[in-house]
Amino acid sequence: MKIKLLILPLVVIVVAAGSCVKNPETPQPDGPQTDPGTVKEMAVPAGFDWKMSRSITCNFASAHLTRVYVASAADAEPFAVVFAGDGAEPVTLNVPVPMKSLYVKYEKADGTFVTKELPVMGTTLAYTVPADSKEFVDVAAGAAKTTESTTRAGYADSNGGHILYPAAGWGTLMFEDLWPSYGDYDFNDLVVNYQVDLMMQNKNQAREMFIALCVRAIGGKLPYDLYLSLRGVRPDQIADIKMDDLQNGVQSCDLVKVNSGNSRPAILKFVDIKQNLNKPGGTTFLNVRPGEEMKTGDLTVVSFNVTFRNAISTRDHLAFDTFDFFIARDDQQQEIHLAGFEPVLFGADRYRALRTQPTSNANTQSEYYYSNDNLVWGICIPAEIPHAYETRDFLTAYPNFAKWAQSGGVSNTDWYTDAPGNRNPENLVRMK
């Protein structure tokens, strides 16, 4: 897959993405764990928030302004380049729950680099950069990168820093589209890889945001579109949205702001991203049926550059927990969010009016998009993973998904990776 702004390939990585918190306490299983045959048979404990990552507030200090590079391994590319010293704000990073350490690197005045392993404990990470670090001189005076300047890496080199979501790679959004009813739980009604990169000035405030998507599968017939609600951003804080690149998609493909004013959240709609110029004829589905598998290079890939009117705090307003990807259909005024995110497009009253199924909707009004059995209609995986064939229950493709969910997220936190026992390849779409 080729995208000029992307600096990382679509590979399976062991990282995790965040979601809204339902309960700050880690839930525990209520009783003996069964071995369910389907998703709908899982015994998911009350209070489980389906969260695969945690937010870490980084308090980096320095005697002068300098850059700190943060990676998930000593030899890995940094997923964040942030500033320390001279009034730079703390930043919030999103890391996998099982991650025990982060690796920070700084440049010395002589041009050499020093790497230090920092244990990840709790919700904060403190580090004082040694005095021999190279002082950063902002030759661009914090100016935003122009869209003609090219890569995100080039932006970080010349103007500032960046934070990549998910850390060091792509994430995967998977939706069931029959809310408030249970679907077939193959989680392939819409499958989209995503990547977000915040471009920051030297106070660790974002001036721009890159969003890239790859539409991998459409297993549902209902006319849902993908949206992104930026819970920490007002509509009037977005100055401009421009397409950066488009592959295999129709020219009407776009990203548009659907609301205005100074009340949060800003809501963005991805227009016509489900249209694919290489889609096989005679089918309404995309890449979900045996014999109709597509080539990776034929998938629709699109990227956008979002420019903010003024720099925005990355800690409070653009942390990953404030990103709400959801699907919605205008004809029914219906939206489907990940667990715990309240409806924003058509509102809570419409949500309650549609919540008519006695077994598949949370009894309490505040626990949005959880069923009475604590199931959900969307999951956000922090890596690019293969999706299930149509009508194949998700557990037949990822058997350890049940162990993870039924433990309340305590065990099998790597259920989606290619580790032994995690996948049944015969039930996963094999890309050509």
Side-chain angles (χ1 to χ4, degrees), residues 1 90 108 133 143 152 164 173 239 324 350:
M1 188 175 298
K108 298 173 64 174
S133 63
R152 297 178 297 178
L164 181 66
L173 298 162
D324 170 21
R350 180 60 179 166

Side-chain angles (χ1 to χ4, degrees), residues 83-293:
F83 286 91
D86 195 24
E89 295 182 353
V91 296
T92 300
L93 305 179
N94 198 260
V95 302
V97 169
M99 181 176 288
K100 303 302 182 183
S101 297
L102 287 174
Y103 293 81
V104 299
K105 180 171 66 174
Y106 73 92
E107 184 179 6
K108 298 173 64 174
D110 62 6
T112 60
F113 287 84
V114 177
T115 301
K116 182 176 179 59
E117 179 182 3
L118 299 180
V120 175
M121 297 179 293
T123 59
T124 61
L125 189 69
Y127 176 62
T128 299
V129 184
D132 61 353
S133 63
K134 180 179 179 180
E135 184 172 3
F136 178 79
V137 178
D138 187 4
V139 295
K145 180 191 76 66
T146 63
T147 54
E148 292 77 21
S149 74
T150 60
T151 66
R152 297 178 297 178
Y155 178 93
D157 288 342
S158 62
N159 289 319
H162 76 104
I163 298 176
L164 181 66
Y165 299 132
W170 291 76
T172 306
L173 298 162
M174 294 180 164
F175 287 98
E176 284 287 310
D177 65 3
L178 290 182
W179 181 90
S181 300
Y182 284 153
D184 56 8
Y185 277 105
D186 50 22
F187 277 118
N188 71 8
D189 290 341
L190 180 63
V191 181
V192 178
N193 293 134
Y194 74 92
Q195 188 177 76
V196 177
D197 207 357
L198 303 177
M199 300 289 101
M200 306 182 304
Q201 36 84 305
N202 59 26
K203 302 300 183 184
N204 291 332
Q205 297 178 337
R207 297 295 300 268
E208 300 184 41
M209 177 174 68
F210 287 96
I211 303 174
L213 300 178
C214 171
V215 182
R216 297 191 67 91
I218 301 171
K221 295 182 179 180
L222 299 178
Y224 279 96
D225 291 302
L226 182 68
Y227 289 78
L228 171 60
S229 171
L230 298 173
R231 298 299 175 120
V233 178
R234 303 190 313 265
D236 62 4
Q237 289 178 295
I238 297 176
D240 190 30
I241 303 175
K242 292 183 179 179
M243 181 178 291
D244 185 81
D245 194 24
L246 175 64
Q247 300 170 28
N248 305 317
V250 297
Q251 290 302 309
S252 56
C253 184
D254 204 356
L255 177 62
V256 299
K257 186 169 57 174
V258 300
N259 61 343
S260 59
N262 59 6
S263 297
R264 297 186 180 94
I267 303 174
L268 309 179
K269 179 180 181 179
F270 297 94
V271 178
D272 287 343
I273 64 166
K274 294 166 67 175
Q275 306 300 318
N276 186 295
L277 297 176
N278 302 309
K279 179 181 175 181
T283 177
T284 59
F285 299 115
L286 178 76
N287 206 28
V288 293
R289 290 181 171 178
E292 297 177 357
E293 298 89 344

